[in-house]
Amino acid sequence: MYALTVLPGRPGSLEVRELPEPRPGPGGLLVDGLAVGVCGTDREIAAGQYGTAPAGRDRLVIGHESLGRVREAPPGSGFSAGDLVVGVVRRPDPVPCGACERGEFDMCRNGRYAERGIKELDGYAAQTWCVEPDYAVALDPALEDVGMLLEPASVVAKAWEQVERVGGRSWFAPRRVLVTGAGPIGLLAALLGTQRGLETHVLDRVTGGPKPALVAGLGAEYHTEDPDRVFSAVRPDVVIEATGAGKLVFAAMAGTPAYGVVCLTGVSPAGRRLTVDAGSINQEIVLENDAVIGSVNANLRHFVQAADALGKADPRWLAGLVTRRVPLDRFHEAFSPQDGDVKTVITLDGPG
């Protein structure tokens, strides 16, 4: 079988290699890979910025936005041959820390977790892969063309869960959400906002391409104006920040009414400096009982929540998020962003 591999830390080392077909451990699933989504994390690993190969190996099979079909499933696993399945990304650390011990491995305290396709475990960008049943989620067959969206949707499901947990410290009845960024995370955050019955707004700088129509397809409002003006006009009770852009992060912190909750899901690049009025932001957060939280990764329950959300969504709308599909032997195209991209997918069922 063929897989997309990289030498972590070495730019330009991404290549398809023929590897022995894996065999599952006791009780594990053998899965035929169908497709894998490509995101900024994959591109950063390919650029040599981070990533860790499995112990004793030089190369890492990348890919964490998985989609496959079960070929073999042992009795009692809860899965059957032919099931559409997605693999969870993170695994708890071996110590374990208190969070991992309690199943909250997305909140690992000591950093010794492992992640498929990122840190110490091979990923899902392979024509065949294995996964433990406890780290697999079955999908509705109707999601066969878009199931690789489950992993980013799980990140969003966790973000919304955290917003609601923080809001639940007092009476919380949000009416409006503003999502900053109309990439896959932002658009899926908007989807879950509309599913919660909230007035949903999305802010992005792109004026053309598919993004405005995708937002309109949710019954949400798309904005491209100055961020401060948008925050002032919308006055969102909840902000899901999905860009990592410093200006938007600070605008979000100052842009909510009293008891606003801001969830940061985008990662800001280091080294860029902004001049901000820290005193005013401090006053906004303290005097209005606001909250700013960070959220990343997901555990099994968030994947399950995301599967439920995707199952309720309009499949035509979900299909619109996947703007490019490239075969495994043309993987380089997936790592070169193009105008109009939302989600790029590598298909795995053809030759390597």
Side-chain angles (χ1 to χ4, degrees):
M1 67 102 184
Y2 291 92
L4 185 56
T5 71
V6 68
L7 289 168
R10 189 175 300 179
S13 63
L14 194 65
E15 65 177 32
V16 174
R17 287 204 165 187
E18 187 172 8
L19 301 176
E21 186 165 288
R23 292 302 307 169
L29 308 178
L30 182 65
V31 180
D32 292 318
L34 298 178
V36 63
V38 176
C39 73
T41 296
D42 300 301
R43 294 186 177 104
E44 289 163 1
I45 293 172
Q49 295 180 25
Y50 54 89
T52 308
R57 296 245 312 275
D58 294 328
R59 285 192 165 267
L60 170 74
V61 177
I62 69 166
H64 58 279
E65 298 183 2
S66 63
L67 177 64
R69 189 177 303 283
V70 175
R71 187 196 305 176
E72 297 177 10
S77 66
F79 294 86
S80 301
D83 285 349
L84 201 63
V85 68
V86 165
V88 175
V89 179
R90 184 171 287 195
R91 301 293 184 273
D93 72 77
V95 174
C97 71
C100 288
E101 186 177 28
R102 290 160 178 80
E104 304 283 350
F105 48 84
D106 56 306
M107 295 289 203
C108 180
R109 300 296 198 273
N110 62 22
R112 294 182 63 180
Y113 59 83
E115 291 179 318
R116 298 285 301 256
I118 302 172
K119 182 176 182 280
E120 300 173 0
L121 294 174
D122 279 335
Y124 300 111
Q127 292 177 323
T128 309
W129 43 268
C130 300
V131 66
E132 313 93 309
D134 289 346
Y135 294 97
V137 177
L139 285 184
D140 187 320
L143 296 173
E144 181 173 356
D145 289 338
V146 295
M148 74 295 296
L149 297 174
L150 183 61
E151 191 279 334
S154 74
V155 173
V156 169
K158 176 186 172 179
W160 273 109
E161 178 191 83
Q162 296 302 308
V163 165
E164 289 160 352
R165 285 186 171 188
V166 171
R169 65 194 168 130
S170 180
W171 175 76
F172 188 55
R175 293 183 296 164
R176 291 179 295 276
V177 58
L178 175 60
V179 178
T180 53
I185 293 291
L187 290 167
L188 290 166
L191 168 68
L192 270 65
T194 61
Q195 289 183 343
R196 284 164 167 76
L198 300 179
E199 179 187 313
T200 302
H201 299 259
V202 178
L203 172 62
D204 198 280
R205 63 186 179 182
V206 174
T207 57
K211 293 180 178 181
L214 284 166
V215 171
L218 293 173
E221 187 170 350
Y222 190 78
H223 301 267
T224 58
E225 310 96 289
D226 177 77
D228 290 332
R229 182 175 300 178
V230 174
F231 276 95
S232 178
V234 174
R235 298 294 288 166
D237 304 296
V238 175
V239 177
I240 306 291
E241 207 299 302
T243 70
K247 181 178 180 180
L248 283 175
V249 170
F250 286 105
M253 290 181 183
T256 60
Y259 205 73
V261 180
V262 177
C263 183
L264 308 179
T265 66
V267 179
S268 302
R272 295 183 182 178
R273 298 189 177 188
L274 292 173
T275 300
V276 299
D277 186 344
S280 293
I281 293 174
N282 173 266
Q283 289 181 20
E284 290 275 354
I285 293 173
V286 174
L287 297 181
E288 295 190 350
N289 288 296
D290 291 342
V292 180
I293 58 174
S295 184
V296 69
N297 204 268
N299 68 34
L300 179 62
R301 77 171 178 275
H302 304 124
F303 276 78
V304 173
Q305 293 167 6
D308 181 64
L310 294 187
K312 293 176 180 176
D314 181 347
R316 294 170 298 178
W317 185 86
L318 292 173
L321 295 183
V322 181
T323 45
R324 277 199 298 150
R325 297 177 189 265
V326 301
L328 182 58
D329 58 0
R330 288 163 42 199
F331 69 89
H332 284 294
E333 297 175 22
F335 286 79
S336 300
Q338 297 181 3
D339 290 342
D341 277 351
V342 177
K343 172 56 65 180
T344 301
V345 168
I346 297 173
T347 56
L348 302 169
D349 51 354

